[in-house]
Amino acid sequence: MLTHPGGADRPGGLATARRGKTGRELLTALVAGYEVQCRCARDFIPSTPAHGFRASPVYGILGCAATTARLLGLDGVGDRQRDRPGASFAGSLIEGQRTGARDADFAEAQAARSGMWAASLAAQGFQGAATALEGEGGFYYAFTAAARAT
């Protein structure tokens, strides 16, 4: 898959679950987060790194947002809302990793923080662009130069 769901989903899930969630609730949320991240990445993973972006933090923000949203008890509408700011917050250049710089060491942590923030905003009713994922200036086009297939 060339993306590592645990890099952002686990820390975000653990931080959110500390607020009184059970181990079962955490595992269920992590499964949801992994599923969202891998499904979002599956059609685009080869082109994301080809465009200079690290796949794990780019797609990890969506997985972490899904994990956090599940733990916050968001329904289907809230789940869709969490992707909108998450799509806008995503990003991590591959250049640092390519050249041996250490900036990539913090990319998953940034994705976790932003994913948790996106889910928290959705829980408070924040609404980002309805086409944040598939729009002409949206997530998939920005990171892969392609729109999400329906």
Side-chain angles (χ1 to χ4, degrees):
M1 180 52 65
L2 297 178
T3 185
H4 307 289
D9 298 9
R10 281 190 316 232
L14 286 168
T16 306
R18 291 184 62 201
R19 298 177 193 160
K21 299 299 179 183
T22 67
R24 178 183 290 278
E25 290 170 312
L26 173 60
L27 288 175
T28 301
L30 285 169
V31 168
Y34 278 45
E35 182 76 12
V36 166
Q37 182 170 341
C38 291
R39 283 185 182 259
C40 289
R42 71 178 171 198
D43 294 333
F44 299 104
I45 208 69
S47 59
T48 303
H51 282 86
F53 298 103
R54 294 187 61 241
S56 292
V58 166
Y59 296 100
I61 193 170
L62 300 177
C64 182
T67 298
T68 302
R70 178 72 183 229
L71 289 166
L72 293 175
L74 295 182
D75 60 11
V77 172
D79 288 348
R80 286 190 299 279
Q81 294 298 338
R82 62 135 208 270
D83 290 337
R84 294 173 182 174
S88 292
F89 300 160
S92 177
L93 298 179
I94 206 165
E95 186 65 13
Q97 184 177 15
R98 188 187 72 75
T99 63
R102 301 290 310 268
D103 53 331
D105 295 352
F106 303 99
E108 279 79 7
Q110 176 66 23
R113 183 186 76 145
S114 294
M116 291 174 66
W117 188 25
S120 295
L121 288 170
Q124 295 173 47
F126 177 82
Q127 295 187 19
T131 55
L133 291 174
E134 70 280 356
E136 289 181 23
F139 179 88
Y140 288 111
Y141 188 78
F143 293 113
T144 68
R148 176 82 167 143
T150 57

